[in-house]
């Protein structure tokens, strides 16, 4: 079951007006009560008495009084206005047991002395007893969800009427009465003894008489249901289900089938059963002593039970609450969680049975209670006023609970919900509950971040005009800096402590008394939570001016908490910080890194890099490490994990994107001193829009930073396709110089090492930014580039031992002999020398190389092995006679004999092979030419006048030869000249076609 702990701090209803029945009749008392709002929006209270009279009263809802503000004592009747007496009508000599208002019909149905009476809602006519009804104990009207019409014969929806009649089946018509369509009416259930009778109240008739005339009203019996278990004492009809209560228990009866099912039975000793239709939820409340059980239209329990404090006399409904009365008190219980929200006394104890009535509308705002002689009307306090009252009492949980209920029921707009969250947040903030306050701020969709600005920075400031002058409900003080809020809050706690000691109750939170807070802790909590709110606001779409305030003030708060990492993260990201508001503060507090990040984010590169330069000078190696930067530097191959390296990395990041050449060259030096890799990244960055001038860069690079120059020139030449001959030459000279230094250092190191000196004690070159040795880079560049000056480079390395580089340069200059001498004699690279000879493509090159091998000069011994290798590989390209002439007498014959024999055999073989190929090719070629000659001879005309084109002799019947261009010569000329006959200056050695003895007759 739901908890029923009282929560008497909430004010849901307040007394509005009252009526003293004794002033009108001293002989009668109240028996029944009903309240309704008519179609003209007039609210009427109907009071039925034991003497059989019906009174109508009216509360003047337009009048207001001081009690509406919740400041007037609710048990003081002298402040209540009186209910206006309207009219009265006599019903019968017996008590009016029930009043059923038919507001849509403008009628009031009365139950008195077991009969039904009808009177108009204005009580302008006498009450009329309805026909056959006798012995009626309870009457209930059929209720439909969503205000669907349950009536028959209204003429509004005849299809609905027919469907309902078809459902009921077995239509009963008594005494000649018939169901009349087109006449106003409603459907009722009457409990008569142990049976239920379903009837239709028909107003008017076919004769055209007005349905306002109650004299024409009749009851038409539609159906009877027998065998109800016990005498019905209470009844509710919703949709097609009728819930009845008897002394034995509660049952559910279908008005369609007439079948009955027990919901549950009552104990032998219990209070009489009571039912109440809950219009808001469209459910039924069943009462068992002091317990209320809620069931749906199928009789199934839903939700928890309501446990009331005492037995009750009557029950009603108002909004989210069930209203019960007993012993002169009215109590309101929340339907959802069962808690008692409010208790109001309206009469002394022992006043006898009481009656409560509420509007049959889920939006009703009035509830009326009656004792024997007094009627008191209560008005629901507006939801906003209820929330205000709870907030004034610092019952924040109760206020939020009410807000959630209103939101769930759809009775509170989103804007008002956001407004309340913001109001609660401010109240909690001034009560020093900063975390809860920010939680509510974040739930408010309408609260502006600028409303927090006055708590951070004192007025006046840049954003003073942005702060909305919203005082909400005036429940909290005006905004003030957090230090003042904390001080005022502590003063309030101290003052409340004194009052409590004096016996005066206060509304200060008990937790603050039990655990007095520390000022420093409170201030830290305040700043931390306000920072959390501003961080969340950064994700919203705000005006630029508001975003500037959020980011700038957030830096202030981070600085107050010394949250350096958060401060730097904000400053280095995209932000709306105002530099002018922060730079002085950051300089004074020494947060130069944050200021540098801030300058960089705002495009103030010069100031940012200058700060990093200052930091690089002042940083110690024990500075806090940045893991991301550490990875960058380690990947560069340099072992520099220090504050200086971090400063250099950050500065290089800025310069990589900058196109300000002067700025870059100004700071390049100190960055290079820390990391040459970073300096190179600055110079070779492709992130800038305008590239740097190569000439200016080359001039500005420190001559001692040779590798920076080399890497920059390499980038220009290889990546940027630079064709400047001066830069190519400069690059070659720089590489050559470095290569000479490296070679000399290596020689010195080897000499020292050969003297048994430990290598680890030798001075070593500093770490290089290149992965490839300098000589290899030099050789690759000398071979790949055609734009450098080889003579200038050669002059530099002339006296060095860089023989391969010299060979490359001499080759560029066409000095074949010098190239061969270097390759064969200096480098003793026979394979490279032979390859170079092959590139030259002349046989004399091989002979020249052979001579070098056999006579190296300079006191060197002949290189017989290399010579034999040359003869073996390329002997066919050499003249054997010349080879024999060049062979030294000192050369051992056994070394060369086999090679020479193979060379001679190969030469003979190659010669014969060449002859065969030559003859075969001539034969093939001759056949082809003869076929073409035969083709040409068909169109060449030879006669007695034809002359030899060589000697001008007449051909006659002599043999002749014909050439490819149709030239004809006599056979004598052909024989005399052989194959070198020349006609018209043309040599036919290659393309003559002749077949000796071939005769062409005239």
């Amino acid at each position: 079951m739901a908890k029923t702990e009282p929560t008497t701090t909430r004010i849901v209803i307040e007394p509005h007006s009252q009526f003293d029945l004794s002033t009108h009749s001293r002989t009668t008392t109240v028996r029944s009560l009903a309240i309704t709002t008519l179609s003209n929006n007039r609210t009427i209270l109907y009071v039925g008495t034991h003497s059989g009279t019906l009174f109508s009263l009216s509360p003047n809802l337009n009048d207001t009084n001081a009690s509406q503000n919740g400041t007037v004592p609710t048990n003081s009747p002298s402040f209540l206005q009186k209910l206006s007496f309207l009219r009265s009508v006599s019903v019968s000599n017996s008590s009016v047991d029930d009043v059923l208002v038919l507001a849509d019909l403008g009628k009031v149905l009365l139950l008195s002395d077991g009969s039904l009476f009808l009177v108009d809602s204005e009580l302008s006519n006498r009450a009329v007893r309805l026909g056959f009804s006798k012995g009626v104990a309870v009457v209930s009207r059929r209720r439909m969800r969503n205000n669907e019409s349950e009536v028959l014969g209204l003429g509004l929806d005849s299809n609905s009427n027919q469907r309902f009649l078809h459902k009921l089946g077995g239509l009963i018509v008594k005494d000649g009465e018939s169901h009349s369509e087109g006449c106003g009416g409603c459907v009722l259930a009457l409990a008569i003894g142990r049976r239920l009778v379903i009837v239709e109240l028909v107003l008017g008739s076919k004769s055209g008489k007005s349905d306002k005339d109650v004299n024409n009203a009749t009851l038409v019996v539609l159906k009877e249901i027998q065998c109800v278990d016990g005498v019905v004492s209470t009844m509710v009809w919703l949709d097609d289900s009728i819930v009845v209560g008897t002394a034995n228990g509660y049952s559910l009866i279908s008005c369609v089938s007439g079948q009955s099912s027990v919901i549950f039975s009552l104990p032998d000793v219990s209070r009489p059963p009571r039912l109440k239709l809950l219009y808001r939820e469209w459910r039924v409340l069943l009462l068992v002593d002091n317990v209320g059980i809620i069931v749906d239209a199928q009789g199934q329990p839903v939700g928890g039970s309501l446990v009331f404090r005492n037995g009750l006399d009557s029950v009603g409904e108002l909004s989210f609450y069930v209203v019960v009365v007993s012993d002169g008190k009215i109590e309101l219980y929340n339907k959802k969680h069962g808690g008692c929200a409010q208790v109001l006394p309206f009469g002394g104890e022992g006043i006898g049975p009481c009656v409560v009535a509420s509007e049959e509308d889920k939006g009703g705002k009035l509830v009326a209670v009656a004792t024997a002689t007094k009627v008191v009307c209560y008005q629901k306090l507006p939801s906003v006023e209820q929330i205000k009252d709870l907030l004034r009492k610092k019952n924040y949980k109760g206020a939020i609970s009410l807000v959630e209920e209103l939101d769930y029921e759809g009775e509170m707009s989103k804007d008002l919900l956001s407004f309340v969250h913001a109001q609660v947040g401010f109240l909690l903030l001034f009560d020093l509950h900063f975390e809860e306050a920010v939680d509510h701020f974040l739930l408010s969709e309408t609260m502006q971040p600028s409303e927090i600005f006055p708590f951070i920075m004192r007025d006046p400031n840049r954003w003073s005009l942005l702060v909305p002058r919203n005082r909400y409900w005036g429940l909290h003080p005006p905004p003030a800096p957090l230090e003042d809020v904390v001080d005022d809050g502590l003063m309030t706690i101290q003052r409340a402590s004194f009052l409590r000691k004096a016996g005066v109750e206060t509304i200060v939170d008990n937790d603050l008394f039990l655990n007095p807070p520390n000022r420093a802790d409170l201030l830290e909590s305040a700043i931390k939570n306000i920072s959390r709110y501003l961080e969340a606001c950064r994700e919203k779409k705000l005006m630029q001016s508001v975003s500037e305030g959020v980011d700038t003030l957030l830096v202030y708060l981070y600085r107050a908490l010394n949250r350096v990492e958060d401060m730097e993260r904000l400053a280095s990201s995209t932000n709306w910080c105002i530099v002018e508001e922060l730079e002085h503060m950051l300089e004074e507090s020494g947060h130069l890194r944050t200021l540098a990040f801030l300058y960089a984010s705002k495009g103030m590169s010069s100031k940012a890099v200058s700060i990093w330069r200052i930091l690089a000078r002042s940083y110690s190696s024990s500075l806090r490490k940045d893991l991301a930067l550490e990875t960058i530097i380690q990947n560069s191959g340099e072992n520099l994990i220090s504050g200086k390296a971090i400063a250099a990395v950050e500065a290089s990041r800025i310069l990589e994107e900058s196109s300000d050449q002067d700025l870059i060259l100004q700071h390049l030096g100190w960055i290079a001193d820390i990391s040459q890799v970073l300096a190179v990244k600055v110079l070779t960055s492709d992130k800038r829009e305008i590239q740097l001038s190569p000439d200016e860069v080359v001039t500005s690079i420190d001559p001692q930073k040779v590798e920076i120059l080399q890497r920059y020139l390499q980038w220009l030449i290889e990546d940027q396709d630079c064709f400047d001959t001066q830069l190519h030459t400069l690059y070659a000279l720089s590489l050559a110089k470095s290569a000479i230094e490296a070679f000399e250092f290596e020689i010195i190191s080897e000499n020292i090492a050969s003297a048994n000196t430990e290598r680890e004690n030798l001075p070593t070159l500093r770490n290089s930014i290149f992965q490839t040795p300098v000589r290899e880079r030099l050789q690759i560049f000398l071979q790949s580039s055609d734009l450098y000056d080889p003579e200038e480079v050669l002059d530099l390395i002339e006296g060095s031992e860089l023989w391969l580089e010299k060979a490359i340069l001499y080759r560029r200059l066409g000095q074949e002999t010098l190239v061969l001498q270097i390759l064969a004699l200096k480098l003793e690279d026979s394979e490279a020398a032979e390859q170079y000879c092959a590139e030259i493509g002349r046989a004399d090159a091989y002979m020249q190389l052979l001579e070098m091998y056999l006579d190296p000069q300079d006191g060197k011994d002949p290189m017989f092995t290399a010579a034999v290798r040359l003869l073996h590989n390329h002997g066919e390209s050499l003249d054997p006679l010349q080879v024999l002439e060049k062979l030294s007498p000192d050369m051992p014959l056994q070394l060369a004999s086999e090679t020479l024999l193979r060379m001679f055999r190969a030469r003979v073989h190659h010669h014969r092979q060449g002859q065969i190929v030559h003859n075969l090719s001539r034969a093939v070629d001759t056949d082809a030419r003869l076929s073409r000659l035969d083709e040409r001879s068909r169109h060449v005309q030879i006669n007695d006048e034809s002359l030899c084109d060589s000697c001008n002799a007449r051909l006659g019947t002599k043999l002749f030869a014909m050439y490819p261009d149709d030239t004809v010569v006599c056979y004598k000329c052909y024989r005399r000249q052989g194959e070198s006959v020349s006609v018209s200056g043309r040599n036919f050695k290659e393309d003559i076609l002749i077949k000796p003895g071939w005769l062409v007759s005239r």
Side-chain angles (χ1 to χ4, degrees):
M1 293 186 180
K3 296 180 180 180
T4 57
E5 296 178 4
T7 307
T8 57
T9 56
R10 181 180 295 189
I11 296 179
V12 181
I13 59 175
E14 57 182 1
H16 176 268
S17 51
Q18 62 180 355
F19 175 76
D20 190 352
L21 184 62
S22 61
T23 60
H24 290 266
S25 175
R26 297 182 178 273
T27 60
T28 187
T29 57
V30 176
R31 174 68 178 86
S32 56
L33 188 64
I35 183 171
T36 188
T37 299
L38 302 179
S39 58
N40 56 5
N41 292 326
R42 244 183 358 129
T43 301
I44 304 294
L45 273 73
Y46 296 99
V47 181
T49 65
H50 283 89
S51 62
T53 304
L54 180 68
F55 293 90
S56 63
L57 310 174
S58 174
N60 190 355
L61 298 180
N62 294 325
D63 291 346
T64 59
N65 51 51
S67 66
Q68 291 177 337
N69 295 324
T71 59
V72 178
T74 56
N75 58 353
S76 178
S78 59
F79 287 92
L80 300 182
Q81 61 178 331
K82 293 183 178 181
L83 287 166
S84 301
F85 174 79
L86 298 179
R87 290 182 180 179
S88 64
V89 63
S90 177
V91 179
S92 69
N93 295 328
S94 300
S95 63
V96 179
D97 298 320
D98 195 8
V99 179
L100 182 61
V101 181
L102 308 177
D104 54 331
L105 303 179
K107 303 292 186 289
V108 179
L109 187 66
L110 308 171
L111 175 60
S112 178
D113 193 23
S115 298
L116 295 178
F117 296 84
L118 193 66
V119 65
D120 64 280
S121 57
E122 301 291 340
L123 305 188
S124 56
N125 298 315
R126 65 179 181 85
V128 176
R129 182 177 178 277
L130 296 178
F132 76 95
S133 60
K134 197 71 175 174
V136 178
V138 185
V139 59
S140 178
R141 183 179 183 180
R142 184 176 186 239
R143 305 293 185 181
M144 299 292 291
R145 181 185 287 271
N146 299 327
N147 294 324
E148 295 176 6
S149 174
E150 86 285 1
V151 299
L152 298 174
L154 288 177
L156 299 176
D157 190 352
S158 59
N159 292 330
S160 298
N161 298 340
Q162 295 298 329
R163 285 197 300 270
F164 182 69
L165 288 175
H166 179 71
K167 278 185 180 181
L168 290 178
L171 182 64
I172 298 175
V173 180
K174 290 187 176 183
D175 300 332
E177 296 176 345
S178 63
H179 167 63
S180 176
E181 296 187 7
C183 303
C186 65
V187 182
L188 305 170
L190 310 179
I192 304 176
R194 293 178 174 269
R195 62 192 177 97
L196 294 180
V197 181
I198 299 176
V199 301
E200 179 188 4
L201 173 63
V202 180
L203 303 178
S205 65
K206 290 184 178 181
S207 62
K209 293 183 180 180
S210 172
D211 61 1
K212 293 183 179 180
D213 187 359
V214 297
N215 295 318
N216 296 320
T218 58
L219 291 176
V220 178
V221 178
L222 302 179
K223 190 170 187 176
E224 289 187 5
I225 301 175
Q226 302 289 338
C227 302
V228 176
D229 185 15
V231 178
V232 178
S233 59
T234 181
M235 178 169 55
V236 169
W237 187 5
L238 71 163
D239 296 333
D240 294 336
S241 301
I242 302 175
V243 182
V244 299
T246 67
N248 298 324
Y250 294 98
S251 301
L252 181 71
I253 301 174
S254 171
C255 68
V256 177
S257 63
Q259 294 181 351
S260 173
S261 59
V262 177
I263 298 177
F264 60 82
S265 301
L266 293 175
D268 294 336
V269 179
S270 65
R271 289 175 176 268
R274 294 184 186 277
L275 293 171
K276 174 61 182 175
L277 176 60
L278 304 178
Y279 289 91
R280 193 178 192 88
E281 292 78 15
W282 201 245
R283 292 168 181 169
V284 181
L285 178 66
L286 287 62
L287 297 176
V288 182
D289 291 334
N290 66 326
V291 178
I293 301 171
I294 300 176
V295 300
D296 58 17
Q298 287 72 42
Q300 298 298 321
V302 290
S305 301
L306 303 178
V307 181
F308 307 113
R309 295 180 174 182
N310 304 300
L312 50 90
D313 297 331
S314 183
V315 60
E317 179 191 21
L318 181 68
S319 185
F320 312 126
Y321 308 97
V322 171
V323 183
V324 298
V325 292
S326 64
D327 291 335
K329 296 179 182 179
I330 180 171
E331 300 176 355
L332 277 71
Y333 291 85
N334 189 288
K335 300 176 189 174
K336 187 175 181 180
H337 55 73
C340 182
Q342 187 179 9
V343 177
L344 284 175
F346 60 90
E349 295 183 2
I351 62 173
C354 305
V355 183
V356 63
S358 55
E359 298 180 78
E360 296 182 351
D361 182 4
K362 64 180 181 180
K365 298 180 180 179
L366 294 178
V367 61
V369 295
T371 61
T373 59
K374 183 188 295 185
V375 178
V376 181
C377 182
Y378 292 86
Q379 184 177 20
K380 178 187 174 186
L381 198 67
S383 300
V384 171
E385 295 300 325
Q386 294 184 47
I387 298 170
K388 287 182 183 180
D389 180 72
L390 292 170
L391 294 180
R392 289 190 188 99
K393 298 174 181 178
K394 297 189 180 298
N395 186 358
Y396 303 130
K397 291 183 179 179
I400 295 303
S401 176
L402 177 58
V403 168
E404 291 173 349
E405 291 176 5
L406 294 170
D407 181 52
Y408 177 78
E409 297 293 336
E411 294 189 3
M412 175 170 283
S413 65
K414 292 295 182 182
D415 289 344
L416 182 56
L417 179 63
S418 296
F419 179 91
V420 172
H421 276 300
Q423 175 67 90
V424 173
F426 281 114
L427 288 171
L428 287 168
L429 188 144
F430 282 99
D431 282 351
L432 308 183
H433 297 289
F434 301 109
E435 184 176 357
E436 295 89 339
V438 170
D439 289 341
H440 284 283
F441 289 156
L442 295 176
L443 292 174
S444 175
E445 297 180 0
T446 58
M447 179 177 171
Q448 295 298 317
S450 55
E451 297 181 50
I452 297 296
F453 292 174
F455 292 94
I456 306 172
M457 181 176 287
R458 293 185 183 275
D459 288 332
N461 57 63
R462 179 187 291 264
W463 299 282
S464 295
L465 297 179
L466 294 178
V467 181
R469 303 305 175 187
N470 190 350
R471 291 288 290 117
Y472 291 89
W473 287 328
L475 302 179
H476 64 270
L482 291 175
E483 295 88 343
D484 296 348
V485 172
V486 171
D487 292 338
D488 293 344
L490 292 174
M491 185 65 69
T492 300
I493 296 173
Q494 187 177 9
R495 187 165 45 249
S497 178
F498 292 145
L499 292 175
R500 282 200 173 188
K501 291 178 181 179
V504 179
E505 287 295 328
T506 63
I507 57 176
V508 176
D509 193 347
N510 288 328
D511 292 339
L512 298 178
F513 288 110
L514 298 176
N515 301 299
N518 178 272
R519 183 182 187 278
D521 294 339
L522 285 174
L523 193 57
E524 181 181 357
S525 175
I527 297 174
K528 186 182 298 182
N529 284 284
I530 294 298
S531 301
R532 179 165 63 93
Y533 175 71
L534 294 182
E535 288 170 349
C537 291
R538 294 194 74 215
E539 305 299 325
K540 300 179 180 180
K541 188 177 181 180
L542 306 172
M543 294 188 304
Q544 179 176 335
S545 56
V546 177
S547 296
E548 291 173 352
V550 169
D551 286 359
T552 304
L553 296 178
L554 193 54
V555 174
Y556 270 97
L557 297 178
Y558 285 156
R559 182 248 183 186
L561 295 172
N562 199 29
R563 290 166 58 177
V564 178
E565 291 185 1
D566 292 330
M567 197 159 44
E568 293 179 359
R569 186 182 302 111
L570 174 60
S572 60
S573 64
T574 302
N575 62 79
W576 292 97
C577 293
I578 303 298
V579 177
E580 296 81 0
E581 294 285 337
L582 296 173
E583 54 185 347
H584 181 67
M585 177 197 72
L586 295 175
E587 286 177 358
E588 284 191 342
S589 61
H591 294 98
L592 296 183
R593 281 173 54 93
T594 302
L595 184 57
F597 285 129
L598 187 58
Y599 281 144
S601 68
K602 299 303 178 182
M604 304 168 71
S605 302
S606 178
K607 290 186 175 182
V609 178
S610 297
I611 290 181
W612 288 119
R613 184 173 187 175
I614 295 172
L615 292 174
R617 292 174 178 173
S618 59
Y619 273 150
S620 64
S621 59
S622 61
L623 182 70
R624 171 179 57 86
K625 296 180 180 179
D626 188 315
L627 294 180
L629 298 182
E630 182 175 341
T631 302
I632 294 173
I633 299 173
Q634 284 181 340
N635 291 339
S636 70
E638 299 185 359
N639 188 21
L640 297 171
I641 310 302
S642 66
K644 292 182 179 181
I646 294 174
V649 169
E650 296 296 348
S652 66
R653 284 177 175 173
I654 300 172
L655 297 179
E656 284 177 28
E657 299 181 0
S658 174
S659 297
D660 187 343
Q661 180 169 289
D662 295 337
L663 176 65
I664 295 170
L665 300 182
Q666 176 187 353
H667 293 277
L668 183 65
W670 69 268
I671 295 177
D673 291 339
I674 297 173
S675 171
Q676 295 192 41
V677 173
L678 296 177
V680 170
K681 289 183 65 177
V682 170
L683 295 177
T684 61
S685 172
D686 57 358
K687 298 178 182 179
R688 59 177 59 98
E689 297 179 358
I690 303 175
Q691 290 300 330
L692 308 177
S693 169
D695 295 335
E696 295 291 336
V697 173
V698 170
T699 304
S700 64
I701 294 177
D702 186 350
Q704 300 298 322
K705 305 296 189 301
V706 177
E707 289 195 340
I708 297 178
L709 175 63
Q710 293 175 1
R711 183 64 188 91
Y712 176 66
L713 293 174
Q714 182 187 23
W715 175 75
L716 286 176
I717 295 170
E718 296 180 2
D719 298 342
Q720 302 299 308
D721 298 328
C722 175
F723 298 104
D724 190 327
T725 57
Q726 292 182 353
L727 295 179
H728 279 250
T729 302
L730 179 60
Y731 183 42
L733 291 172
S734 179
L735 289 175
K737 185 176 180 181
S738 297
I740 293 172
E741 294 175 355
F743 182 80
E744 293 175 350
F745 181 83
E746 185 176 354
I747 296 299
I748 295 173
S749 300
E750 291 177 355
N751 292 336
I752 298 176
S754 63
N756 298 324
T757 304
E758 294 184 0
R759 293 297 300 270
E760 58 267 20
N761 293 331
L762 295 176
T764 58
L765 291 175
R766 54 180 166 71
N767 292 332
S768 174
I769 65 175
F770 292 99
Q771 300 295 327
T772 308
V774 64
R775 286 198 66 182
E776 183 178 342
R777 288 184 280 119
L778 173 60
Q779 294 164 9
I780 293 173
F781 178 70
L782 293 178
Q783 290 176 337
S784 61
S785 175
D786 297 327
L787 300 178
Y788 62 88
D789 185 349
E791 294 182 354
E792 192 172 349
V793 180
L794 191 58
D795 291 341
L796 177 63
I797 66 173
E798 188 66 40
S800 70
E801 296 295 323
L802 304 181
W803 293 107
L804 181 56
E805 289 80 355
K806 292 179 183 180
I808 297 172
L809 294 171
Y810 282 131
R811 180 182 177 186
R812 290 285 185 190
L813 296 173
Q815 301 292 332
E816 298 174 357
T817 301
L818 293 176
V819 175
L820 284 175
Q821 286 178 350
I822 293 174
L823 294 176
L825 303 180
K826 294 294 183 181
L827 299 177
E828 297 183 358
D829 190 346
S830 301
E831 183 178 355
E834 293 173 12
Q835 177 64 33
Y836 182 62
C837 291
E839 293 177 7
I840 294 174
R842 300 193 310 272
D844 62 325
Y846 290 106
M847 185 57 68
Q848 187 179 10
L849 179 59
L850 181 61
E851 292 176 357
M852 293 179 184
Y853 285 150
L854 297 177
D855 186 14
Q857 299 179 358
D858 294 334
K860 292 185 66 175
D861 295 331
M863 303 169 66
F864 295 125
T865 303
V868 171
R869 170 190 168 92
L870 176 62
L871 293 174
H872 177 76
N873 293 335
H874 303 283
E876 71 277 7
S877 300
L878 299 173
D879 187 342
L881 296 178
Q882 292 182 3
V883 172
L884 291 175
E885 291 176 358
K886 298 295 183 182
L887 288 178
S888 171
D890 297 331
M891 181 177 181
L893 186 60
Q894 63 273 16
L895 291 176
S897 59
E898 185 178 350
T899 300
L900 290 174
L901 287 174
R902 189 186 308 113
M903 182 181 71
F904 291 144
R905 292 188 187 118
R907 188 169 184 84
V908 173
H909 174 71
H910 285 307
H911 176 70
R912 290 175 179 174
Q913 188 179 36
Q915 286 182 327
I916 294 171
V917 172
H918 177 68
N919 291 334
L920 286 175
S921 63
R922 280 184 62 85
V924 174
D925 200 25
T926 299
D927 290 340
R929 290 176 182 177
L930 285 177
S931 64
R932 291 197 298 272
L933 181 61
D934 179 56
E935 183 68 25
R936 291 199 303 274
S937 66
R938 296 176 184 175
H939 61 81
V940 176
Q941 301 296 324
I942 302 298
N943 51 42
D944 294 341
E945 302 300 327
S946 298
L947 301 177
C948 172
D949 291 329
S950 178
C951 63
N952 292 326
R954 189 184 300 272
L955 293 178
T957 59
K958 299 176 181 178
L959 295 176
F960 65 90
M962 181 177 291
Y963 293 87
D965 60 349
D966 296 340
T967 300
V968 179
V969 297
C970 63
Y971 185 69
K972 181 180 179 181
C973 289
Y974 171 72
R975 293 292 297 172
R976 183 176 67 248
Q977 300 295 333
E979 293 184 350
S980 59
V981 177
S982 178
V983 179
S984 301
R986 182 170 181 182
N987 189 340
F988 290 91
K989 179 179 180 180
E990 298 296 333
D991 53 3
I992 188 172
L993 295 175
I994 185 65
K995 184 178 181 183
W998 183 47
L999 178 63
V1000 179
S1001 65
R1002 291 179 296 177

